[in-house]
């Protein structure tokens, strides 16, 4: 698949995207990455004039949701044009070639552009049964990931499956699924764009940042770009005022729900999840989950399927009492139990002291066994 | 140490060993210095405030009516929780530091059963609690079993502090408190930190229930003014015990 001409202006024109729109896109990207609007000029310049890197897109144990997210565009936008400018040499879902021809394309990139291409990975990598759970062209996902990722200039894991294992890795993880960084140790540059699916805006902005500056954006401890994952959902949420004031939805469809109050008591995981959904939204900023009246389920966090469940409860249960148990109930009755046990215990002690003071049951000499103390 | 010269049992059996030890008379012994007492009560008050605000934070049971900009219920709870957390954390740090520089009965060896005798007394105390013996072992400071339990309590304090700081870092913005966000991956993410924080609170409250009862129990059966001692610093002990712990 040949990349389109590098003449961005011509391409934009051909697709009916005005230059004004293109510059608007550049400043939107600048703002999103956390740069002043003035950086838009640098971005526009880079997109117009710098050579575009080769990119391969690998799909493993996935639902193609990230591809969907990436491709979906309601109108031909500047973003689309920019991403088309990347020379995407391999992408199972969208490439024209099939079968061996397709695999050859991938091999030739790995061989001829070693250390120069970007590998985007979607889906987790199964390690159980020698990798038999996912094979492409006779090779296991693990083999392919090893070859392609360790020779790439950088690896971008998109979606929670590729970053942290995601759904396939949820307990009991029958296929031994791992995220890319865990399956292929020693990758030099790894960018994680978690979320289920990845937000196309964040992928675009990451790529634009790289094209402009020739390096990758600053990341958090989980290798996620700070511009997208630096703040919790909760801290940017439009329902935050209701949270702070103590106004919560208590049942789906109750008055508070219709009024758009905070979804905290419905198990919203916004306070413990990091992403920029409230700011950039989804589907061209049409909406986002909490705006639709549903709590955040923490889709961008490691092991969210295990840790953030039950999705409609504030916390998982008390250890040993099942996942759906209520910590506060167990804790409260446990505390009452301790108090009752000790209360009874005290009564028995005092009772025995009164009753059993006959004499045959002589108390031990308290000083015995305590002599020669060496404290 | 010379054992007290008394006759065993018999005369006043219901308070048997108190009676025989007391023939030498009781004396006022200063065991808990001011720092021990102050931190104990500050920590206790802080925990109660933290628990009330924390339970609300976890399960906001009160929902005010009216426009949201007229209310600040959750916000207030969190502010109180955070300021109390500062007091709590500092008091715990002071108490732990005091374990190394404080007075004799404030020190770490009251908690860690490092000596053979204190290890033996852990068992004697367990026997007392399980009705196998009538007499709690003699100790001027903490009895060694209690000391051991307090180690666990201090571990819970640190669990609260570490998970609390991690949770705080989530919303810390550009404040220096953001530095604690390195704790989040270590704790398994913010949701798990919150879960640990919540469970540890119930363990502390469970301890609280046990602690009050055993304080009453031991106070009654020893009759040395244990509970009063946490206020005044003084216990009333048989004269012959004086040097027992040293
Ligand atoms: C013994 C002391 C403490 C108790 C009993 C306590 C209890 C609680 C409880 C029950 C919650 C609600 C957790 C949930 O279900 O979401 C909470 C939240 C919180 N605690 Fe504590 N806590 C204590 C100490 C601390 C300390 C020392 C800090 C230090 C900074 C702290 C910081 C926090 C923060 C930031 C939250 C907010 C969580 C959120 O916004 O969701 N706590 N606490
Ligand atoms: C949240 C509540 C409480 C906690 C976490 C707590 C914790 C502790 C700790 C850690 C110690 C060891 C003291 C030290 O050397 O620093 C201690 C000792 C003591 N506490 Fe508390 N305490 C609480 C409430 C109370 C209350 C309400 C009472 C009174 C009824 C009390 C009575 C005592 C006494 C008498 C001692 C000394 C006992 C001994 O040597 O075993 N405590 N407590
Ligand atoms: S809806 Fe969720 S993210 Fe929004 S304020 Fe409430 S708890 Fe926070
Ligand atoms: S709101 Fe939460 S669950 Fe929904 S997409 Fe954003 S991070 Fe994922």
């Amino acid at each position: 698949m040949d990349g389109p001409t590098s003449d961005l202006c011509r391409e934009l024109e051909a697709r009916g995207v005005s230059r004004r729109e293109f510059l608007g896109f550049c400043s939107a990207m600048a703002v999103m990455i956390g740069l002043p609007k003035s950086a838009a000029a640098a971005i526009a310049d880079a997109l117009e004039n710098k050579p575009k890197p080769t990119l391969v897109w690998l799909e493993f144990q996935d639902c193609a949701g990230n591809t969907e997210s990436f491709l979906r565009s309601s109108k031909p936008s500047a973003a689309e044009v920019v991403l088309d400018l990347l020379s995407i040499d391999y992408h199972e879902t969208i490439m024209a070639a099939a079968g061996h021809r397709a695999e050859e394309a991938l091999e030739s990139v790995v061989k001829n552009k070693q250390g120069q291409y970007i590998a985007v990975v979607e889906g987790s990598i199964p390690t159980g049964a020698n990798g038999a759970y996912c094979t492409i062209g006779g090779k296991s996902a693990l083999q392919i990931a090893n070859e392609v990722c360790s020779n790439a200039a950088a690896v971008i894991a998109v979606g929670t499956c590729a970053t942290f294992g995601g759904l396939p890795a949820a307990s009991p993880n029958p296929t031994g699924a791992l995220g890319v960084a865990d399956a292929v140790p020693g990758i030099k540059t790894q960018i994680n764009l978690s979320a289920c699916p990845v937000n196309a805006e964040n992928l675009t902005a990451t790529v634009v940042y790289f094209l402009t500056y020739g390096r990758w954006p600053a990341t958090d401890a989980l290798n996620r770009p700070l511009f997208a994952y630096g703040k919790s959902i909760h801290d940017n949420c439009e329902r935050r005022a209701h949270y702070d004031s103590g106004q919560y939805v208590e049942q789906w469809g109750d008055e508070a729900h219709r009024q758009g109050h905070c979804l905290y008591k419905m198990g919203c995981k916004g306070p413990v999840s990091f992403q920029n959904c409230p700011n950039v939204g989804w589907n061209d900023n049409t909406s986002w989950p909490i705006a639709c009246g549903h709590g955040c389920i923490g889709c961008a966090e490691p092991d969210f399927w295990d840790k953030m469940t039950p999705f409609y409860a504030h916390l998982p249960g008390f250890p040993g009492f099942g996942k759906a148990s209520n910590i506060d109930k167990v804790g409260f009755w446990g505390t009452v139990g301790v108090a009752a046990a000790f209360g009874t215990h005290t009564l028995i002690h005092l009772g025995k002291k009164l009753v059993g003071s006959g004499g045959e049951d002589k108390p031990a000499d308290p000083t015995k066994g305590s002599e020669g103390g060496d404290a | 140490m010379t054992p007290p010269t008394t006759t065993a049992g018999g005369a006043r059996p219901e308070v048997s060993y108190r009676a025989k030890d007391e023939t030498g008379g009781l004396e006022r012994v200063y065991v808990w210095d001011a720092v021990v007492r102050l931190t104990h009560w500050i920590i206790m008050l802080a925990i109660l405030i933290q628990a009330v605000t924390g339970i609300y934070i976890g399960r906001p049971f009160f929902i005010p009516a009216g426009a949201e900009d007229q209310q600040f219920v959750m916000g207030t709870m969190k502010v109180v929780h955070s300021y109390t957390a500062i007091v709590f954390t500092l008091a715990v740090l002071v108490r732990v530091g005091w374990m190394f520089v404080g007075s004799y009965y404030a020190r770490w060896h009251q908690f860690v059963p490092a000596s053979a005798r204190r290890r033996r007394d852990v068992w004697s105390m367990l026997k007392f609690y399980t009705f196998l013996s009538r007499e709690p072992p003699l100790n001027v400071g903490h009895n060694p079993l209690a000391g051991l339990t307090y180690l666990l309590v201090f571990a819970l304090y640190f669990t609260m502090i570490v998970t609390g700081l991690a949770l705080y870092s989530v919303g810390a913005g550009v404040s220096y408190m953001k530095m604690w966000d390195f704790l989040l991956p270590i704790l398994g993410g913010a949701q798990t930190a919150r879960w640990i924080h919540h469970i540890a609170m119930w363990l502390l409250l469970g301890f609280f229930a046990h602690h009050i009862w055993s304080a009453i129990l031991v106070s009654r059966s020893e009759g040395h003014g244990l509970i009063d001692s946490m206020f005044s610093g003084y216990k009333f002990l048989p004269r012959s015990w004086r040097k027992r712990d040293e």
Side-chain angles (χ1 to χ4, degrees), chain A residues 188-262:
Chain A
K188 279 165 287 176
T189 308
Q190 161 104 26
I191 299 291
N192 282 335
L193 297 175
S194 56
C196 192
V198 68
N199 194 329
E201 305 286 331
N202 290 337
L203 179 56
T204 311
T206 303
V207 171
V208 165
Y209 188 100
F210 177 72
L211 290 178
T212 309
Y213 295 104
R215 55 187 159 80
W216 299 95
T219 57
D220 66 9
L222 299 170
N223 286 331
R224 302 181 298 187
L226 285 171
F227 75 79
Y229 300 89
K231 277 188 181 166
S232 70
I233 300 284
H234 188 57
D235 277 348
N236 285 327
C237 179
E238 62 216 33
R239 302 190 181 210
R240 180 59 183 264
H242 291 293
Y243 170 87
D244 285 330
S245 64
Q247 296 177 328
Y248 305 99
V249 176
E250 296 193 285
Q251 238 178 7
W252 300 119
D254 67 5
E255 182 56 23
H257 197 208
R258 272 177 272 137
Q259 296 287 328
H261 289 182
C262 167

Side-chain angles (χ1 to χ4, degrees), chain A residues 195-197 233 270 273-275 277-278 282 288-290 294-300:
Chain A
C196 192
I233 300 284
S273 306
F274 296 83
Q275 211 184 167
C277 309
W282 286 85
W288 71 290
I290 288 174
H294 190 283
C296 169
I297 59 171
C299 72

Side-chain angles (χ1 to χ4, degrees), chain A residues 235 242-248 264-265 307 314-315 317 319 328 339 342 345 349 353 356 361 363 366 369-371 375, chain B residues 3 20 57-58 60 64 66 68 74-75 78 120 128-129 134-135 171 188 191 195 198-199 202 210 213 221 244 246:
Chain A
D235 277 348
H242 291 293
Y243 170 87
D244 285 330
S245 64
Q247 296 177 328
Y248 305 99
Y264 188 70
K265 291 183 88 168
K307 288 181 176 163
H314 178 60
L315 290 171
D328 289 330
F342 271 83
H345 190 275
H349 252 290
K353 215 165 192 179
D361 183 20
S370 358
E371 275 156 319
Chain B
K20 69 186 181 265
I57 294 169
E68 72 264 24
M74 176 60 94
K78 285 177 78 150
R120 244 193 339 267
F128 169 73
Y129 273 136
R134 291 269 180 88
E135 313 294 0
Q191 173 73 350
W195 185 61
H198 207 116
I199 288 170
W202 282 113
H210 144 268
W213 276 110
S221 54
R244 192 174 184 283
E246 283 155 32

Side-chain angles (χ1 to χ4, degrees), chain A:
Chain A
M1 215 166 88
D2 272 345
T5 75
S6 60
D7 190 350
L8 184 90
C9 299
R10 199 146 29 88
E11 190 66 22
L12 287 169
E13 211 171 300
R15 306 239 200 143
V17 179
S18 70
R19 178 147 187 93
R20 191 191 184 85
E21 213 174 309
F22 170 66
L23 291 178
F25 165 79
C26 292
S27 33
M29 283 292 129
V31 169
M32 194 167 153
I33 300 168
L35 299 168
K37 273 206 173 171
S38 55
I43 292 177
D45 181 49
L47 294 184
E48 275 169 330
N49 301 318
K50 287 200 185 162
K52 307 299 177 288
T54 301
L55 186 148
V56 295
W57 183 298
L58 306 177
E59 283 182 72
F60 299 128
Q61 273 188 331
D62 71 323
C63 62
N66 298 287
T67 296
E68 284 294 332
S69 173
F70 180 56
L71 296 179
R72 168 151 304 157
S73 243
S74 44
K75 54 183 172 13
S77 66
E80 230 186 2
V81 176
V82 169
L83 291 168
D84 280 356
L85 284 176
L86 296 168
S87 100
I88 301 185
D89 285 19
Y90 180 85
H91 188 311
E92 281 154 22
T93 307
I94 59 172
M95 71 198 300
H100 290 299
R101 298 284 298 281
E103 299 315 310
E104 275 162 23
L106 181 59
E107 274 160 31
S108 101
V109 171
V110 174
K111 220 186 309 149
N112 302 329
K113 303 211 169 142
Q114 197 176 5
Q116 292 160 35
Y117 62 92
I118 299 172
V120 176
V121 182
E122 170 178 12
S124 66
I125 298 169
T127 58
N130 266 330
Y133 293 114
C134 176
T135 61
I136 300 161
K139 284 189 193 167
S140 74
L142 189 58
Q143 252 174 313
I144 299 172
N146 261 314
E147 282 170 26
V148 178
C149 297
S150 28
N151 288 311
V155 175
I156 306 180
V158 295
T160 302
C161 298
T163 49
F164 309 125
L167 217 60
S171 172
N173 193 356
T175 64
L178 292 177
V180 184
D182 294 325
V184 186
I187 293 174
K188 279 165 287 176
T189 308
Q190 161 104 26
I191 299 291
N192 282 335
L193 297 175
S194 56
C196 192
V198 68
N199 194 329
E201 305 286 331
N202 290 337
L203 179 56
T204 311
T206 303
V207 171
V208 165
Y209 188 100
F210 177 72
L211 290 178
T212 309
Y213 295 104
R215 55 187 159 80
W216 299 95
T219 57
D220 66 9
L222 299 170
N223 286 331
R224 302 181 298 187
L226 285 171
F227 75 79
Y229 300 89
K231 277 188 181 166
S232 70
I233 300 284
H234 188 57
D235 277 348
N236 285 327
C237 179
E238 62 216 33
R239 302 190 181 210
R240 180 59 183 264
H242 291 293
Y243 170 87
D244 285 330
S245 64
Q247 296 177 328
Y248 305 99
V249 176
E250 296 193 285
Q251 238 178 7
W252 300 119
D254 67 5
E255 182 56 23
H257 197 208
R258 272 177 272 137
Q259 296 287 328
H261 289 182
C262 167
L263 296 156
Y264 188 70
K265 291 183 88 168
M266 303 309 288
C268 178
K269 302 300 186 298
V272 289
S273 306
F274 296 83
Q275 211 184 167
N276 51 359
C277 309
N279 300 347
V280 303
W282 286 85
N283 302 325
D284 292 329
N285 207 359
T286 307
S287 184
W288 71 290
I290 288 174
C292 305
H294 190 283
C296 169
I297 59 171
C299 72
E301 297 304 304
D303 306 318
F304 83 101
W305 200 259
D306 293 323
K307 288 181 176 163
M308 299 295 180
T309 45
F311 288 140
Y312 299 111
H314 178 60
L315 290 171
F318 204 90
F321 285 77
K323 212 165 172 177
S325 60
N326 179 329
I327 291 192
D328 289 330
K329 262 192 199 141
V330 176
F332 176 79
W333 288 111
T335 305
V336 170
V338 170
F342 271 83
T344 330
H345 190 275
T346 306
L347 292 179
I348 294 177
H349 252 290
L350 300 179
K352 272 187 103 168
K353 215 165 192 179
L354 287 176
V355 177
S357 50
E360 72 272 67
D361 183 20
K362 261 190 209 150
D365 185 333
T367 56
K368 286 263 167 65
S370 358
E371 275 156 319
D374 53 353

